[in-house]
Amino acid sequence: MEFLDRPTRHLFFTGKGGVGKTSVASATAITLADHGARVLLVSTDPASNLDEVLQTELAPVPRPVAGVPGLHALNLDPVAAADAYRERIVGPYRELLPAATITSMEEQLSGACTVEIAAFDEFSRLLGDPSATADFDHVVFDTAPTGHTLRLLTLPSAWSGFLEGSQNGASCLGPLAGLEKQRALYEATLRALADGAATTLVLVTRPERAALAEAARTSTELDALGIKNQHLVVNGVFRAQSDDAIARALERRCADALARMQDEFIFMPRTEVPLAAHALLGSDALRALLGGGTAPAAEGDVDAAALPPALASLLPTLEAAGHGVILTMGKGGVGKTTVAAALAAELAARGHRVHLTTTDPAAHVAQTLGDNVAHLRLSRIDPAEETRLYTEEVLATAGAGLDAQGRALLEEDLRSPCTEEIAVFRAFARAVDEGRDGFVLLDTAPTGHTLLLLDATEAYHREVLRQGSNMPEEVRQLLPRLRDPDFTRVLVVTLPEATPVHEAAKLQADLRRASIEPFAWVIEQSFAAVETSDPVLRQRQQRETRYIDEVRGLSQRTVLVPWVPEPPVGLSRLRALVTTGPRPSQNAASQLESTR
């Protein structure tokens, strides 16, 4: 790995959800520490799983990592960061301003966007203030899935521009004086990100078309931000060690995807990491990922007949009412988009009116569906377009009766990055409202971003109760509809692996705290449900059974989707995915024949 031969002080790992960012970032940090460097590993993901991967309980401050001398790690806690940020802004005014004004400031600082900017504030301190990490030779950042990370990385310029353009001294985050104090830090953060001698951006991807396409888009956007020193890591490259159909199909999918890699990557330094047979938990397993140790062997056989049923077993209940909302939720890269598109295609084929939409900033719904389908409408909640529409609406209503100074103040407030959060939330509420007249399939963003959206839902519902009739009806009804089990069916999607299952369990707990009960769990891309003699794949399928059993213990309904030889793209393959069950040899062979 070139970036390990001459490591910069800062290393950023980003990519599509589920590509192995945390594993590769952790293995890199361990390698640097094993060579004698003092290393700090930082997770900026709101749904971090760094604790589980390192097998070490972490906190928002550096803690030593078990079994790795020289390595410390921390999780940025967005909620704790928001509390500290809120107090830093409001605290200086407590003795100077009336209580009502203080209360108003605290209400302004209670939204989801405050959580985001507070987490960014902590991130800026670690990157832009050298004294904050003076005890370490390298700082390795394990970031959230691409869409969320791109937003994080664009915030320095967004906030700098907002501060420069602001003339009236107020924003949705309270008095700008608090933000002005951070201006120098934000500018230092921008310089550190763009300095190729100090920062390396490592794009992690899988050898899959969608993941490679997203990596290419991310590379272009990061280049536009001035982040030029980029390196590509292709994680999970598989080379068959047997002649069975499944192993050859997986090898062919990897090779085809790599052969189609876009021109952007031709001159970019690249590292390929083999598909791991073992669970990437703990320092020894992580060392083995980069070739520095021996992987522990898996044991046991799979009883395919005892696996959960196919996705089709959910259809009778899902379509009984003839309308409603179906949300797919889970960690990035677990197959939420595929499950949403497959069910949408099947419901539309059965004659139902269906709207398939997504809140994921990095979604690939259109590519997954491919064809035009009768009865099925496809859309995407576009943050930029929704922000434009929302801004026009506010200026036409709230701004209509204002004088020039008042309108200028309103326009300034609407230019803040927080406006996008409100606009996306409103679009989400409109989509849910359509479930009264047909089926709405909502493919949500990875867990962390979705939790921020649900937090916003709770916050807006409190505002609805406070403001009475001043909110649109779809916003007033949003939380009650999400809580109605006859109207909204949440499908928790996971892979049969430790981190996706445990992250989904936390998501389920968060949903239940909001009085939203998941309808079912969907286990995606299971090798346990296919027949193979390849030693790497056999270890993986044996390892999966533990997590399949764990999911059954967590859910009232569990279904399983086998790994399929051809990418589940296009109407016929998506519909086949709904009915494909855990009957290894027959299903795999029939799919191979039908797709050739």
Side-chain angles (χ1 to χ4, degrees):
M1 289 189 184
E2 187 176 304
F3 67 88
L4 275 175
D5 294 337
R6 296 181 295 280
T8 54
R9 175 164 167 70
H10 304 119
L11 295 108
F12 263 87
F13 289 79
T14 189
K16 189 176 184 297
V19 297
K21 292 181 296 296
T22 301
S23 300
V24 177
S26 299
T28 298
I30 289 171
T31 301
L32 291 170
D34 285 348
H35 283 79
R38 297 167 302 165
V39 183
L40 177 62
L41 176 57
V42 179
S43 172
T44 68
D45 190 343
S48 172
N49 63 322
L50 194 56
D51 299 58
E52 181 170 38
V53 170
L54 294 175
Q55 302 281 280
T56 299
E57 185 177 349
L58 301 179
V61 295
R63 284 188 172 176
V65 174
V68 190
L71 177 60
H72 286 68
L74 67 84
N75 278 324
L76 289 184
D77 182 340
V79 176
D83 289 342
Y85 178 84
R86 194 177 296 114
E87 185 55 30
R88 194 168 70 242
I89 299 296
V90 177
Y93 297 96
R94 289 195 188 281
E95 304 300 325
L96 303 174
L97 299 176
T101 304
I102 295 295
T103 300
S104 175
M105 289 173 65
E106 289 175 335
E107 287 178 355
Q108 284 181 307
L109 292 163
S110 64
C113 50
T114 303
V115 175
E116 186 171 40
I117 191 65
F120 161 72
D121 214 45
E122 282 295 296
F123 157 78
S124 294
R125 186 177 63 82
L126 293 170
L127 188 62
D129 179 3
S131 67
T133 55
D135 293 336
F136 302 98
D137 301 311
H138 302 283
V139 184
V140 179
F141 290 91
D142 168 36
T143 71
T146 310
H148 195 269
T149 297
L150 279 176
R151 179 165 167 74
L152 187 74
L153 294 179
T154 55
L155 279 172
S157 56
W159 281 109
S160 295
F162 181 61
L163 292 171
E164 288 166 3
S166 176
Q167 303 295 320
N168 296 291
S171 80
C172 58
L173 292 183
L176 287 179
L179 295 174
E180 280 283 353
K181 292 176 183 176
Q182 302 297 93
R183 179 194 291 268
L185 181 61
Y186 295 172
E187 290 173 349
T189 303
L190 277 174
R191 285 196 300 273
L193 285 170
D195 182 359
T199 301
T200 303
L201 196 296
V202 183
L203 287 162
V204 184
T205 185
R206 290 276 187 189
E208 299 167 359
R209 292 182 196 176
L212 285 163
E214 183 167 324
R217 285 195 300 272
T218 305
S219 175
T220 302
E221 292 188 43
L222 292 171
D223 188 81
L225 289 171
I227 303 173
K228 308 284 186 184
N229 185 15
Q230 300 180 20
H231 188 105
L232 182 70
V233 171
V234 184
N235 182 36
V237 176
F238 177 74
R239 290 184 174 82
Q241 300 177 41
S242 69
D243 285 328
D244 69 79
I246 293 295
R248 289 300 177 196
L250 179 56
E251 183 182 59
R252 188 173 65 249
R253 275 177 61 169
C254 289
D256 288 349
L258 291 173
R260 293 168 183 255
M261 283 175 65
Q262 299 186 24
D263 294 342
E264 289 92 329
F265 294 135
I266 289 179
F267 299 108
M268 187 182 294
R270 185 173 88 186
T271 299
E272 293 185 2
V273 178
L275 181 69
H278 58 286
L280 295 172
L281 301 176
S283 56
D284 289 342
L286 291 165
R287 283 189 180 97
L289 180 65
L290 301 186
T294 303
E299 296 179 354
D301 295 318
V302 176
D303 181 4
L307 293 173
L311 193 56
S313 66
L314 300 178
L315 281 171
T317 309
L318 288 176
E319 69 176 338
H323 68 94
V325 174
I326 301 170
L327 291 105
T328 55
M329 293 185 172
K331 181 176 168 35
V334 297
K336 297 184 297 295
T337 301
T338 299
V339 171
L343 286 172
E346 183 62 27
L347 288 169
R350 291 170 179 239
H352 297 289
R353 186 165 61 181
V354 179
H355 179 196
L356 173 60
T357 186
T358 179
T359 65
D360 189 345
H364 53 282
V365 169
Q367 297 95 316
T368 301
L369 195 63
D371 312 310
N372 291 322
V373 181
H375 310 297
L376 196 158
R377 181 164 67 90
L378 188 64
S379 73
R380 174 173 175 263
I381 295 177
D382 180 348
E385 178 64 9
E386 294 300 335
T387 301
R388 183 185 68 79
L389 294 172
Y390 176 71
T391 300
E392 289 177 357
E393 177 191 326
V394 172
L395 289 174
T397 52
L402 298 177
D403 58 20
Q405 185 177 4
R407 190 174 176 85
L409 185 63
L410 179 61
E411 289 175 344
E412 177 186 311
D413 201 40
L414 288 169
R415 284 196 297 273
S416 88
C418 302
T419 300
E420 180 181 304
E421 299 289 345
I422 300 170
V424 169
F425 170 79
R426 295 275 295 262
F428 175 62
R430 282 200 307 275
V432 170
D433 185 60
E434 289 187 36
R436 293 180 299 132
D437 302 317
F439 283 105
V440 176
L441 276 294
L442 260 162
D443 167 37
T444 70
T447 310
H449 201 271
T450 298
L451 288 178
L452 290 178
L453 189 65
L454 290 175
D455 284 345
T457 303
E458 289 269 12
Y460 273 76
H461 192 67
R462 289 195 297 271
E463 189 68 9
V464 166
L465 295 176
R466 194 171 70 85
Q467 291 194 24
S469 60
N470 292 333
M471 288 282 183
E473 183 63 16
E474 64 266 21
V475 176
R476 289 170 55 81
Q477 294 299 324
L478 178 59
L479 192 56
R481 283 174 176 156
L482 293 178
R483 287 171 170 166
D484 182 354
D486 294 325
F487 187 86
T488 299
R489 269 52 186 274
V490 174
L491 302 182
V492 178
V493 185
T494 184
L495 300 177
E497 299 174 7
T499 298
V501 169
H502 297 158
E503 187 171 311
K506 293 177 186 173
L507 169 65
Q508 178 168 268
D510 285 326
L511 289 168
R512 284 174 172 167
R513 274 194 288 277
S515 300
I516 300 171
E517 181 64 32
F519 173 72
W521 282 51
V522 181
I523 299 172
E524 252 276 77
Q525 301 171 38
S526 173
F527 282 102
V530 301
E531 195 167 82
T532 179
S533 59
D534 188 274
V536 171
L537 298 184
R538 280 188 59 80
Q539 284 191 51
R540 288 183 68 93
Q541 65 178 190
Q542 289 163 9
R543 194 182 80 216
E544 286 181 5
T545 57
R546 169 184 172 184
Y547 301 107
I548 292 170
D549 290 343
E550 188 171 340
V551 168
R552 280 176 151 154
L554 289 166
S555 61
Q556 54 182 322
R557 299 178 186 85
T558 303
V559 296
L560 183 143
V561 180
W563 184 87
V564 290
E566 297 295 333
V569 175
L571 182 61
S572 60
R573 289 179 183 166
L574 286 169
R575 289 193 64 196
L577 203 65
V578 175
T579 53
T580 300
R583 291 291 180 271
S585 55
Q586 296 90 336
N587 283 324
S590 63
Q591 171 125 358
L592 274 172
E593 290 304 316
S594 67
T595 54
R596 283 177 175 167

